[in-house]
Amino acid sequence: MPVGPVPRTINVNVDYAPDRWGHWATSLQWTSLSSAPFVTNNDQVELPPLSMLNIGVRYRVRLFNRPVLCAPSTLQNVTDETGLTISSLYLVVPVLRRNYTLTLATDI
């Protein structure tokens, strides 16, 4: 099934880490996709527009003025949107429902 391009894609990313918060920071990501046409064997169909919001919190530990541990936690698809998107391989895939991610990363 040939998939056309998404005519409008908007990504807004905000990262906020004031000094008074110490080791803590927060982030916000909003993605908006316009409708996208694709063609099946029988007809041309259009994917509806889609907007998603992700919110994150991050804790960083520094040792000798170098970052040694980062623990970001992200709540993805806060608005629990359902829909379809187009992957980088031009496949139509469903949007994941609301989900949580916790990652631990260290620099040695």
Side-chain angles (χ1 to χ4, degrees):
M1 131 173 47
V3 179
V6 176
R8 178 188 48 79
T9 301
I10 299 173
N11 287 316
V12 177
N13 297 302
V14 177
D15 195 34
Y16 187 63
D19 288 336
R20 68 176 182 263
W21 284 12
H23 299 284
W24 293 94
T26 187
S27 62
L28 180 95
Q29 178 189 31
W30 175 66
T31 302
S32 177
L33 305 173
S34 66
S35 58
F38 67 94
V39 179
T40 64
N41 290 337
N42 301 332
D43 204 356
Q44 180 169 339
V45 182
E46 189 170 275
L47 294 177
L50 179 66
S51 288
M52 291 179 293
L53 180 68
N54 301 331
I55 297 174
V57 175
R58 183 177 64 246
Y59 184 79
R60 289 187 184 205
V61 176
R62 297 179 74 86
L63 185 62
F64 304 117
N65 205 24
R66 293 190 49 177
V68 292
L69 176 69
C70 182
S73 177
T74 306
L75 173 58
Q76 298 170 336
N77 196 3
V78 173
T79 53
D80 207 19
E81 292 288 326
T82 58
L84 300 170
T85 60
I86 300 172
S87 75
S88 59
L89 298 173
Y90 296 103
L91 300 172
V92 177
V93 294
V95 172
L96 291 175
R97 302 294 303 253
R98 185 179 301 134
N99 58 81
Y100 308 90
T101 305
L102 173 63
T103 307
L104 296 176
T106 186
D107 292 332
I108 299 176

